[in-house]
Amino acid sequence: MDPLSEPEISDCRVRLIQAAAEVFVEQGYRASVERVAARAGVARQTLYNHFPCKADLFGEVVRQATAALLITLHANQLTLRERLLRFGAMYREKVLSAEGLGFFRTLAAETVRFPELAASFYRTGPAQTAARLSAVLGEAMKRGEMRCDSPEFAANMLLSMLVGADRSHYLFSGDPPPAPDPEHVAQIIDCYLRAFAPIAIEAPASSSLTPASQRSIP
Amino acid sequence: MDPLSEPEISDCRVRLIQAAAEVFVEQGYRASVERVAARAGVARQTLYNHFPCKADLFGEVVRQATAALLITLHANQLTLRERLLRFGAMYREKVLSAEGLGFFRTLAAETVRFPELAASFYRTGPAQTAARLSAVLGEAMKRGEMRCDSPEFAANMLLSMLVGADRSHYLFSGDPPPAPDPEHVAQIIDCYLRAFAPIAIEAPASSSLTPASQRSIP
DNA sequence: CCTAAATTAGACTGTACGGTCCAGTCTACT
DNA sequence: AGTAGACTGGACCGTACAGTCTAATTTAGG
């Protein structure tokens, strides 16, 4: 109740959530309550003083992790390419980190047991990121910096290109997560911007309206 | 031993594997041996007559599913775009089906417990698909139908664009898997082919060497 | 019909775990 | 010093499950 006890909203509680996050990310929800308590350096009963049951602790972990995984899109006056480069680097870093991959594994596995939790994670996490990105891309389209198309589709493509196949790779292959690689991000972003380059106005109109494949080579 | 018993290599065994595949895909490896046996319409002991332990049965399921998920790239004389359209449709159908998603969930969750199995799945499944696709794309590049680039990178991008964000969506959101949508596949493929369109030779050389973003807007 | 192999149901063992209870200890505030 | 509230350790309960064992039953072949 003291203003001093306010900041440390139960030291135990935060240690427990932290420990639970680590353990669940490493071993999945199957990890025993015992291990969580041990990792937090606390008795099992103490855990139950703070959380009514294991599932509730898990829910709290997921809620906090969801917030931590959100990405901020700098709204400042960088070029579109610069903004996407920064976004892409952060996004890859979070998603392809050991914690990001572990969290993905753990939550995906529990979709059956906790469908509502998973859906809520999706709405306030990935869907949120996609929505923000859509907005930015929609603006770029209006400014003529990108070809006019569905902003949602464009966001979907960018997010997919940034981590799609790589996530599967690091999820299954057992290879250690990759070090951040700005060059690779740039390669992806430039590839992306090519796909969504504004239609060249100086070119003959016909060539820009036919599918790319039909333009290729006589 | 009879030539007749050969084709039905133990009716029980295949029923068990089939049942295990269904149950594991629906509920994960946590599903009890009891349930698997029940689904196969067989006693628990019979299961243990055919498989030494639960883990081995799971391994067999994964091995068979891996093979079933491989995609064949038609090598015939269609246009590149046609080939990619067919491939993309099949790929999305398999990956985004209820079984594909469930299998992904289940195996991703067990990466910790069965790292070797997961790695082997990755090598003979997704990595194999990527390799075949790389070969096809490399050929297209040589023929000048696609911009010259790393075929592996190009394959990675296509596979990512086809399912990347959608997989996450259907894994978590709880929405039922999507119906096949050829139009959406075409939208993706055309977007992809734009990104990898061969460099127009008739255009001034400079414009094709600068990043797309710098070309945008005067 | 007889035999051998496979299948079955069910009891049983050992283990792991979630959750509860409790008796004792520590901490902090008055 | 005294009191209240949190923390501890460990015993304890009920349940679920993998895997074993056994005795009875079915199935197929000679």
Side-chain angles (χ1 to χ4, degrees):
Chain A
M1 296 168 186
D2 281 11
L4 191 131
S5 75
E6 184 75 51
E8 54 144 354
I9 305 177
S10 176
D11 180 33
C12 258
R13 194 182 158 88
V14 309
R15 282 227 310 279
L16 275 166
I17 295 178
Q18 173 63 25
E22 292 173 18
V23 172
F24 286 149
V25 159
E26 286 168 18
Q27 317 184 1
Y29 184 71
R30 83 176 85 237
S32 73
V33 170
E34 187 66 50
R35 289 186 85 95
V36 174
R39 173 89 57 127
V42 127
R44 189 159 78 252
Q45 184 55 44
T46 302
L47 187 152
Y48 284 105
N49 286 346
H50 289 276
F51 302 92
C53 65
K54 189 187 182 184
D56 283 26
L57 172 57
F58 185 61
E60 194 53 38
V61 165
V62 170
R63 237 164 288 129
Q64 298 207 1
T66 303
L69 288 180
L70 259 186
I71 315 243
T72 61
L73 265 160
H74 300 278
N76 53 14
Q77 35 280 74
L78 295 170
T79 67
L80 176 64
R81 182 166 181 274
E82 265 304 327
R83 285 178 84 182
L84 295 187
L85 281 176
R86 294 202 187 184
F87 170 79
M90 280 211 310
Y91 186 67
R92 274 181 68 91
E93 198 160 336
K94 292 206 180 180
V95 169
L96 299 182
S97 68
E99 303 81 42
L101 293 168
F103 183 76
F104 186 92
R105 258 193 286 263
T106 296
L107 191 56
E110 300 307 327
T111 292
V112 188
R113 215 192 307 220
F114 303 110
E116 187 39 60
L117 184 63
S120 145
F121 157 75
Y122 184 74
R123 280 193 306 271
T124 71
Q128 198 59 226
T129 301
R132 293 184 189 176
L133 185 58
S134 289
V136 169
L137 298 178
E139 291 293 327
M141 290 175 187
K142 276 199 197 119
R143 283 196 307 274
E145 295 184 59
M146 283 179 60
R147 128 184 334 234
C148 277
D149 201 335
S150 154
E152 289 75 26
F153 173 73
N156 188 322
M157 286 301 104
L158 180 53
L159 293 170
S160 295
M161 290 167 76
L162 280 170
V163 303
D166 286 346
R167 168 143 55 192
S168 298
H169 176 106
Y170 292 106
L171 272 178
F172 295 113
S173 74
D175 295 348
D181 179 351
E183 294 220 5
H184 189 211
V185 174
Q187 189 181 18
I188 294 171
I189 296 292
D190 287 330
C191 178
Y192 177 74
L193 288 173
R194 247 183 280 135
F196 286 93
I199 300 171
I201 321 170
E202 60 275 12
S206 67
S207 79
S208 61
L209 288 176
T210 50
S213 62
Q214 302 179 13
R215 270 191 282 132
S216 63
I217 285 298
Chain B
M1 294 169 186
D2 280 10
L4 191 131
S5 76
E6 184 76 50
E8 53 143 356
I9 305 178
S10 176
D11 179 35
C12 259
R13 194 183 159 86
V14 310
R15 283 228 310 278
L16 275 166
I17 294 178
Q18 173 63 26
E22 293 174 17
V23 172
F24 286 149
V25 160
E26 285 168 20
Q27 319 185 359
Y29 184 68
R30 82 175 86 241
S32 72
V33 169
E34 186 66 50
R35 290 185 85 94
V36 174
R39 174 88 57 126
V42 127
R44 190 159 78 255
Q45 183 56 46
T46 303
L47 187 153
Y48 284 106
N49 287 345
H50 290 275
F51 301 94
C53 65
K54 191 187 182 184
D56 284 25
L57 171 57
F58 184 61
E60 194 54 38
V61 166
V62 170
R63 235 163 290 129
Q64 298 206 0
T66 303
L69 288 179
L70 259 185
I71 316 244
T72 61
L73 264 160
H74 300 278
N76 52 13
Q77 37 280 71
L78 295 170
T79 68
L80 176 63
R81 181 166 182 275
E82 265 303 328
R83 284 179 83 181
L84 295 186
L85 282 176
R86 297 202 184 184
F87 170 78
M90 280 210 312
Y91 186 67
R92 274 182 68 91
E93 198 159 339
K94 292 206 180 182
V95 169
L96 299 181
S97 68
E99 304 80 41
L101 293 168
F103 183 75
F104 185 93
R105 260 193 284 265
T106 296
L107 191 56
E110 300 309 328
T111 292
V112 187
R113 214 190 309 218
F114 303 110
E116 187 38 62
L117 184 62
S120 145
F121 157 75
Y122 184 74
R123 281 193 306 272
T124 72
Q128 199 59 226
T129 300
R132 293 183 189 175
L133 184 58
S134 289
V136 170
L137 297 178
E139 292 293 329
M141 291 176 187
K142 278 203 196 111
R143 283 197 306 274
E145 295 184 59
M146 284 178 60
R147 128 184 335 232
C148 276
D149 201 335
S150 153
E152 289 75 27
F153 173 73
N156 188 323
M157 286 301 104
L158 180 53
L159 294 171
S160 295
M161 291 167 76
L162 280 170
V163 302
D166 286 345
R167 167 144 56 193
S168 299
H169 176 104
Y170 292 106
L171 272 178
F172 295 113
S173 74
D175 294 348
D181 180 352
E183 295 219 5
H184 190 210
V185 174
Q187 189 181 18
I188 295 172
I189 296 293
D190 286 331
C191 179
Y192 176 75
L193 288 173
R194 245 182 282 134
F196 286 93
I199 300 172
I201 321 170
E202 60 278 12
S206 67
S207 80
S208 59
L209 287 176
T210 50
S213 63
Q214 301 180 14
R215 271 192 280 132
S216 64
I217 285 299

